[in-house]
Amino acid sequence: MKKKLVAMLLTACMALGLCATTVAADEAEAATGDPIKVGIIAPLSGTTALQGEYLMNGYNFAVKHINEEGGINGRPLELVVSDSESLPEVGATEFEKLAQDDEIVAMMGAYSSGVSAVIAPLAIKYSIPLMVTHAVSDACMELGENKYVYRANCGTVESYVWYEKFFQWMAERGTPIKTIATVYENSDYGFSSNEMLQKLCDESDLGMEMVLSEPVASDSADLSGVINKLKAANPDYAYVALNGNDAVLFARQMKEYDCNVAYCGAGGGFMQVDYYEKVGDLSDYMMGISFWYYDIIEALGNPRAAELAAEYHDTYGYDMQEIVVSAWTATYVLADAMKRAESIEREAIADALKETDLEDDTATIFCPYNRVKFGDDQGRNNQNLYSAMPSAQMFSGEWKMIYPADLVQGENPLVWPVPTWEEREAQ
Amino acid sequence: MGLGLLQAGCDGLLMGGVYASIAVGLSLSFGVMRIINWAQGEFLMVAMYVAFLFVNGTGWDPYLSLFVPAAFMGVLGYLLQKFVFNNMLDKEKSREPLSILLFTAGMGILLVNVAQMLFGSLPISSITKYASKGIHIGSLIISLPRLISFCIAVVLTIALNFFIQKTETGRAIRATSQNREVAQLMGIDHKRIYCLTFALGAALLGASAALLVPFYAVSPTMGGSFGFKSFIIVILGGKGSILGCLIGGIIIGLIEKIGGLYWSDAYAQILVFALFIVILLFKPNGLLSTDKDA
Amino acid sequence: MKKYYPIFIVAGILALLPIGVRNNYAVHVLIMVILNAYYAVSWNILGGFTGHFSLGNGAYIALGGYLTAVMYNMFNVSPWIGMIISALIAGGLSILLSYPCFKLRGSYYTLSTMAFLYIINVIIVSNPKIFGLEFGGSKGLNIRWQGGFSRMQFVSKIPYFYIILVMFAIVMFVTTYIKNSKTGFYYAAICTNQEAAASLGVPVLKYKLRAQFTSAFFSALGGGFYAMFFMFLEPTRLLGFAFSTEIMLLAVIGGIGEVWGPVLGAFIMVPVSEYLRGALATKLNGLPSAIYGLVLMLVIYFLPSGLFRPVTSWVKERVKAVFGKKPAEERC
């Protein structure tokens, strides 16, 4: 009897399921008039769920303020969110689902390069404007001449440029970096970062050599092998791209194994909001080069930005971070385009995005750059050519800007060379 | 490279001991009941959440508080065996309960996502007084927390082995695993033995979770790699053999570190899996098996 | 011939569905349902019929996809042909890998398939170029869009739907044929008791390899379709344990011994998970997958042979009640 019941219920599910998805998806929503709907593809679950949270915070925070400031010519923005589960095929399915809804006039997403690379061609296919958010891989911007896919934040090309500038600056101030090492998780992010730095060594005039290049399986219980190799190779500068637990483990084991190599912490793991709580002063003197650091707000000296940052902290319980800023910028750029567009329709918004030229705008109020203008460059289309990746160093849990000069407050706080563990004990 | 090799060997040994204690539960349940717990890694994750919450909440020493996750997992394991697995074993006609394997696969998915719902994805870790301390012997550095964890893991594993080999209940467990029908004729309640076996394995898993607290962190998806390594260790060492687990775990630890030294950490994992395949093909009963057939 | 009727009926009904549906997303879901059913049925040729549960089918699907994509991207080989070539290569490779592994039984065999899957995963993720061929590495592989029938690239989803429907029908024909042929009986014998079968003269290894080849061949064909449909291949997902486990679970829930079991499993679970994700994901992260896991546990606990028998016998009794006719003779 029990079995029959279960079987019945499940058959009903099947019938319902098949019908429901066909029928329900087929019905057009009744037009509601006022709010302007923007579709979001974000990783709400899966391996990058944590970053998805920051992404959504950024979008929501921006939308709240845009609406408070009068919305788009009086009409409020409304986000329609779909979970990509951190998987490209799910992201693609959800993108198509949202693209079917005629009321959704633009899309934003999706944090990870993998998902963004899949939805970008779909944006072109369905002729719906897409603001790629935070993804750094250039694959999503190399789709040829189009008016639908835009990105305000840095891509791989920009990271190459800004790394080169940073190393050049180090050479100019008398502390050149001749040997580098990379330690990276074996994901897309890790591999492309390693490739980029290898290219820097091979092609630029800096004369740098890569002495160690170590891929690491993510979620390792133990990084001692890698750290011992780092010790032996003894580069001037190590680039470490790790996620989640691994970043915390790395900081701890660097001390355990007495490895004094100066390193740059990149990747999601080092940008966790409670990173300092977990590793404490082990993180002192860590270098960084990335989209954004909290110190930039001080550096920019804009009281409104400081106000907003404080409000963000009150709302979410922790400070802003780089993903939040990427989302904020993307949302504001989109809103600006909508205000200029001839009508609130996909084609018109796409045309308006093409003409974007923002300077000193709320869109970049947090950013280390103050201009957004899309152009074609080095094989990419509709990339913001004015983005930047500044460098910083961490002291007592706070990042302090060290490069470029216009973001440095007072005397440059850079401590180089980085003190050894023994020297730190003595301090 | 002599020092490098010694260092790698040392690190591998220490980590291997902990891997072993994590795998023992799987070995026991596989050896005695032919049960394969596909969610072994997720069980570890649950135990770690318990351990971290306790340590972070009370500030107790992580090693002293190993009784908490051990007891929690032990009880959970007992109940699971009593109310779910025993029933499934009764229904299963073939010698190997495939349905339990599939059931635990579903359970693994459930556990990961419930953890995600309850705790979010932010990894939880603790700052303990053992963190980042290393013992220097010449140029060799031994990580203090890992050394302590290794010692406790080995002690617990040997203690469990002693229990299985020397005590009355242990003998009952071994008898049941060798021949269930005959054991029953001898008056052994095999269902109770099964519950006890699973509970013991789960308790050791819980204790192992506490051993990871000083140098590791927990997040919903961290269990996967530990789970698979446990399978490899169980097969390497021979199912049912606790000492085999210890040896298997240490071998895996050594391969990871020494492979990582000469190749790289990520590729060293391939070595582990390749070894696994070789063992499967040539010595499926493991290096120290207690059973005659594969 | 009577055994093939259900294929015509089901395929016929499915073929009519898109006509009433304009929504692209709905068609997309239908394609996913049929594709997953296709994967599960291909898996079942080895898994359900011979009792060797492979958790590495993702490798053959991925291989099919990658080879088709590479042949198309680099050598302009039409995917229609590329799919078949990659399926043959995948089938050949599967025999090579399985030959030693078929000595193993039950879970040992399953673990060995997982080990191979992991190794292939690391190889592809770490090496964007293998033997000079562009596999994309961890970034994944994009497939060039040029459009056109000869390249199996269509703007609308409807042609894809009919392609997968035909593939599905083909694999159902093949499976039904196998089940009722001498080969099928040998498979069943191997599944029930391998030693007894061998002692009765069944060439066990040869038949297992045959089943493996068939299963890998069709899986890889499915991978080729997947590549041309999604236009993008990502190794982390395709070569991860989760994907392969899902395929196996679809077949298991549906009922592995049956020809139509995996189909039922896919037709229920795929819409259910799509629906759950749409309805619940934004409310509480992880809830849809948690429910999915719970459903699996319940089905396996209460109905370990899968849903097929209980559902079909229930349906038959309803039919009997309504029409008063005797149900068709039960076939094992």
Side-chain angles (χ1 to χ4, degrees):
Chain A
M1 193 49 218
K2 198 198 308 180
K3 284 194 182 181
K4 293 235 169 99
L5 194 61
V6 176
M8 256 171 64
L9 281 170
L10 285 163
T11 320
C13 270
M14 164 179 84
L16 256 172
L18 256 178
C19 290
T21 40
T22 9
V23 172
D26 200 35
E27 279 174 5
E29 297 276 73
T32 47
D34 260 357
I36 301 178
K37 292 195 181 173
V38 175
I40 309 273
I41 302 292
L44 302 177
S45 67
T47 51
T48 58
L50 183 61
Q51 288 82 350
E53 188 183 309
Y54 301 148
L55 190 72
M56 284 315 304
N57 289 355
Y59 286 139
N60 287 325
F61 196 58
V63 165
K64 170 164 171 281
H65 283 277
I66 292 172
N67 291 348
E68 274 171 17
E69 292 155 16
I72 314 292
N73 304 326
R75 296 176 63 182
L77 276 180
E78 187 185 298
L79 297 178
V80 180
V81 185
S82 249
D83 184 8
S84 69
E85 290 181 22
S86 313
L87 297 171
E89 46 183 57
V90 176
T93 314
E94 293 298 313
F95 187 93
E96 296 199 317
K97 182 164 87 176
L98 294 181
Q100 298 303 313
D101 183 348
D102 290 324
E103 284 186 32
I104 293 181
V105 291
M107 302 279 293
M108 299 199 283
Y111 169 72
S112 74
S113 297
V115 178
S116 307
V118 181
I119 62 177
L122 293 176
I124 298 179
K125 185 167 165 190
Y126 288 98
S127 304
I128 181 169
L130 168 69
M131 288 295 305
V132 173
T133 317
H134 203 80
V136 83
S137 153
D138 284 328
C140 40
M141 307 308 294
E142 287 168 348
L143 300 168
E145 181 68 41
N146 73 84
K147 62 174 180 174
Y148 299 104
V149 182
Y150 296 88
R151 179 170 64 187
N153 54 266
C154 294
T156 320
V157 166
E158 277 77 24
S159 62
Y160 178 94
V161 165
W162 283 89
Y163 257 100
E164 197 178 25
K165 289 196 203 202
F166 170 72
F167 287 133
Q168 228 149 33
W169 174 70
M170 289 294 273
E172 280 160 18
R173 76 186 277 284
T175 55
I177 291 179
K178 285 291 161 204
T179 53
I180 63 170
T182 56
V183 173
Y184 55 98
E185 61 163 24
N186 60 349
S187 70
D188 177 34
Y189 177 68
F191 276 105
S192 47
S193 310
N194 178 55
E195 218 177 278
M196 185 265 299
L197 286 168
Q198 184 67 62
K199 194 167 153 210
L200 203 61
C201 291
D202 296 337
E203 293 177 15
S204 81
D205 303 326
L206 294 166
M208 297 194 318
E209 190 198 334
M210 187 173 300
V211 294
L212 182 69
S213 176
E214 278 290 297
V216 171
S218 55
D219 260 343
S220 303
D222 188 7
L223 293 168
S224 62
V226 160
I227 290 178
N228 282 316
K229 276 189 174 174
L230 206 55
K231 247 174 110 171
N234 201 24
D236 295 327
Y237 187 94
Y239 173 90
V240 181
L242 296 172
N243 241 318
N245 298 342
D246 300 331
V248 173
L249 196 59
F250 186 82
R252 293 185 180 167
Q253 292 195 294
M254 285 294 274
K255 168 131 193 267
E256 229 167 82
Y257 290 91
D258 201 29
C259 178
N260 293 307
V261 172
Y263 66 96
C264 157
F270 295 98
M271 304 299 172
Q272 280 174 64
V273 288
D274 60 350
Y275 185 68
Y276 182 66
E277 271 163 52
K278 290 176 173 160
V279 302
D281 289 335
L282 294 175
S283 60
D284 277 349
Y285 308 111
M286 175 167 69
M287 308 291 288
I289 175 163
S290 193
F291 292 86
W292 190 81
Y293 294 98
Y294 195 87
D295 194 39
I296 292 178
I297 295 186
E298 274 230 15
L300 293 175
N302 183 331
R304 176 76 183 131
E307 226 174 76
L308 287 168
E311 189 192 320
Y312 179 93
H313 188 111
D314 289 335
T315 316
Y316 295 102
Y318 45 78
D319 280 333
M320 298 175 75
Q321 59 100 271
E322 56 177 30
I323 302 173
V324 174
V325 173
S326 298
W328 171 279
T329 305
T331 317
Y332 264 87
V333 168
L334 183 63
D336 166 79
M338 285 180 174
K339 287 182 194 162
R340 285 181 288 111
E342 282 181 7
S343 60
I344 302 296
E345 271 168 4
R346 297 179 181 182
E347 289 299 311
I349 295 174
D351 288 328
L353 275 170
K354 204 56 145 165
E355 305 300 314
T356 302
D357 193 349
L358 293 170
E359 208 163 335
D360 296 321
D361 184 271
T362 323
T364 52
I365 195 174
F366 301 112
C367 300
Y369 55 92
N370 65 356
R371 189 151 179 221
V372 179
K373 185 165 156 62
F374 299 113
D376 302 338
D377 166 66
Q378 297 199 46
R380 300 146 334 138
N381 301 86
N382 306 332
Q383 166 70 39
N384 178 14
L385 301 174
Y386 299 90
S387 56
M389 279 179 79
S391 306
Q393 193 171 25
M394 187 179 257
F395 303 97
S396 300
E398 297 205 345
W399 289 104
K400 294 283 169 222
M401 305 312 297
I402 58 174
Y403 180 83
D406 56 351
L407 290 175
V408 178
Q409 303 133 65
E411 202 185 302
N412 197 315
L414 173 66
V415 173
W416 192 271
V418 165
T420 65
W421 292 110
E422 263 184 63
E423 288 165 3
R424 294 193 218 190
E425 293 282 315
Q427 276 169 9
Chain B
M1 260 282 183
L3 176 68
L5 188 58
L6 190 61
Q7 180 73 60
C10 206
D11 297 327
L13 178 71
L14 297 184
M15 199 60 217
V18 179
Y19 283 151
S21 64
I22 294 172
V24 168
L26 193 64
S27 185
L28 271 181
S29 56
F30 194 16
V32 176
M33 306 169 291
R34 299 285 183 283
I35 284 180
I36 298 185
N37 180 2
W38 210 250
Q40 182 81 351
E42 281 74 35
F43 272 27
L44 180 70
M45 180 263 294
V46 169
M48 285 188 74
Y49 270 110
V50 170
F52 273 110
L53 291 175
F54 183 79
V55 169
N56 284 349
T58 62
W60 275 35
D61 180 294
Y63 294 116
L64 291 178
S65 37
L66 65 75
F67 300 102
V68 174
F72 183 88
M73 293 309 291
V75 168
L76 191 69
Y78 194 92
L79 295 175
L80 199 59
Q81 182 71 38
K82 186 168 162 87
F83 294 113
V84 179
F85 293 152
N86 275 345
N87 295 340
M88 293 178 81
L89 282 173
D90 283 340
K91 286 193 215 170
E92 192 80 34
K93 283 161 293 198
S94 70
R95 186 141 156 71
E96 227 184 77
L98 216 51
S99 55
I100 294 190
L101 187 154
L102 299 167
F103 180 87
T104 52
M107 191 163 60
I109 298 176
L110 178 69
L111 289 174
V112 168
N113 286 286
V114 166
Q116 168 85 40
M117 292 195 296
L118 290 177
F119 302 109
S121 332
L122 196 64
I124 301 179
S125 62
S126 303
I127 303 183
T128 63
K129 57 179 182 281
Y130 305 100
S132 315
K133 288 213 169 59
I135 301 176
H136 294 233
I137 304 181
S139 311
L140 191 67
I141 300 182
I142 299 182
S143 155
L144 183 64
R146 283 169 200 267
L147 180 64
I148 301 180
S149 296
F150 171 79
C151 294
I152 298 182
V154 171
V155 164
L156 288 176
T157 307
I158 293 184
L160 187 60
N161 189 50
F162 184 85
F163 178 82
I164 301 273
Q165 295 295 331
K166 302 287 184 197
T167 67
E168 184 79 39
T169 323
R171 234 171 296 147
I173 292 178
R174 278 183 293 131
T176 313
S177 88
Q178 278 165 13
N179 195 318
R180 193 211 307 173
E181 283 80 22
V182 173
Q184 263 179 292
L185 289 175
M186 295 295 188
I188 295 175
D189 175 1
H190 74 276
K191 291 206 171 170
R192 201 179 67 86
I193 292 292
Y194 285 173
C195 294
L196 195 61
T197 311
F198 200 82
L200 279 174
L204 186 55
L205 182 69
S208 309
L211 298 178
L212 289 174
V213 165
F215 52 84
Y216 206 56
V218 66
S219 62
T221 49
M222 49 83 46
S225 63
F226 283 101
F228 203 84
K229 274 184 203 141
S230 298
F231 288 122
I232 299 181
I233 291 171
V234 167
I235 291 184
L236 242 190
K239 63 183 186 302
S241 164
I242 297 183
L243 289 181
C245 263
L246 204 50
I247 296 179
I250 291 177
I251 292 179
I252 297 289
L254 287 173
I255 293 180
E256 275 189 348
K257 288 292 147 209
I258 297 180
L261 182 66
Y262 291 114
W263 213 357
S264 80
D265 261 7
Y267 294 129
Q269 299 293 321
I270 297 191
L271 279 180
V272 172
F273 282 82
L275 169 76
F276 179 56
I277 294 177
V278 167
I279 298 280
L280 272 184
L281 295 179
F282 296 110
K283 260 194 154 304
N285 291 325
L287 305 169
L288 269 185
S289 169
T290 57
D291 212 359
K292 298 287 179 261
D293 59 287
Chain C
M1 198 52 195
K2 227 172 104 177
K3 313 160 196 119
Y4 298 105
Y5 285 174
I7 304 178
F8 289 119
I9 298 174
V10 172
I13 297 177
L14 290 173
L16 294 173
L17 279 180
I19 296 177
V21 168
R22 291 164 285 120
N23 188 311
N24 241 1
Y25 170 68
V27 177
H28 183 102
V29 174
L30 283 173
I31 294 178
M32 291 310 292
V33 170
I34 299 181
L35 181 60
N36 276 296
Y38 176 92
Y39 287 151
V41 171
S42 308
W43 178 90
N44 200 28
I45 296 175
L46 180 68
F49 287 4
T50 63
H52 278 278
F53 281 30
S54 162
L55 268 185
N57 261 31
Y60 304 123
I61 295 176
L63 212 57
Y66 271 109
L67 290 175
T68 311
V70 164
M71 279 191 264
Y72 167 72
N73 270 348
M74 295 183 73
F75 306 108
N76 261 313
V77 174
S78 161
W80 297 103
I81 303 176
M83 266 167 68
I84 311 243
I85 300 180
S86 13
L88 288 169
I89 296 178
L93 187 67
S94 77
I95 294 188
L96 214 66
L97 292 180
S98 308
Y99 184 85
C101 292
F102 275 144
K103 279 198 287 183
L104 304 167
R105 235 55 96 51
S107 333
Y108 287 102
Y109 171 77
T110 307
L111 288 171
S112 73
T113 58
M114 288 175 77
F116 275 121
L117 180 66
Y118 184 86
I119 292 178
I120 294 177
N121 182 335
V122 176
I123 292 177
I124 293 208
V125 165
S126 320
N127 295 298
K129 262 198 166 73
I130 302 177
F131 301 130
L133 300 171
E134 284 282 351
F135 276 83
S138 57
K139 269 200 279 275
L141 187 60
N142 261 310
I143 290 152
R144 277 181 302 130
W145 168 267
Q146 282 174 272
F149 181 84
S150 66
R151 303 186 195 94
M152 210 192 277
Q153 290 176 348
F154 313 97
V155 176
S156 152
K157 292 208 194 282
I158 307 278
Y160 291 110
F161 176 81
Y162 286 109
I163 295 176
I164 192 63
L165 187 60
V166 167
M167 287 170 72
F168 172 72
I170 293 177
V171 84
M172 293 311 297
F173 269 112
V174 168
T175 336
T176 311
Y177 174 78
I178 292 178
K179 188 84 202 265
N180 296 292
S181 71
K182 181 178 87 169
T183 314
F185 289 137
Y186 280 174
Y187 288 165
I190 294 170
C191 181
T192 319
N193 192 325
Q194 197 174 304
E195 283 89 4
S199 65
L200 286 173
V202 175
V204 168
L205 187 61
K206 176 170 150 209
Y207 276 90
K208 281 203 235 188
L209 289 176
R210 190 184 283 195
Q212 169 69 292
F213 180 88
T214 319
S215 174
F217 178 85
F218 281 105
S219 300
L221 269 185
F225 171 83
Y226 175 93
M228 300 321 291
F229 179 58
F230 275 98
M231 305 284 286
F232 183 77
L233 292 167
E234 215 234 354
T236 333
R237 164 82 176 147
L238 284 178
L239 293 167
F241 292 138
F243 180 56
S244 291
T245 311
E246 276 163 31
I247 297 175
M248 178 181 83
L249 289 173
L250 287 182
V252 164
I253 289 180
I256 48 177
E258 309 289 335
V259 170
W260 286 92
V263 180
L264 190 66
F267 273 56
I268 292 183
M269 294 309 291
V270 177
V272 164
S273 55
E274 280 285 322
Y275 173 74
L276 283 178
R277 191 194 330 128
L280 295 172
T282 43
K283 304 243 169 60
L284 191 56
N285 302 346
L287 187 56
S289 302
I291 295 182
Y292 188 83
L294 191 60
V295 168
L296 290 175
M297 288 164 70
L298 290 175
V299 170
I300 294 168
Y301 186 76
F302 290 111
L303 299 165
S305 316
L307 294 171
F308 189 74
R309 287 289 172 84
V311 168
T312 48
S313 60
W314 177 78
V315 168
K316 282 195 176 121
E317 280 181 22
R318 286 282 140 271
V319 167
K320 188 168 135 190
V322 171
F323 293 107
K325 262 198 276 197
K326 272 212 173 104
E329 222 170 68
E330 287 271 5
R331 251 182 297 110
C332 285

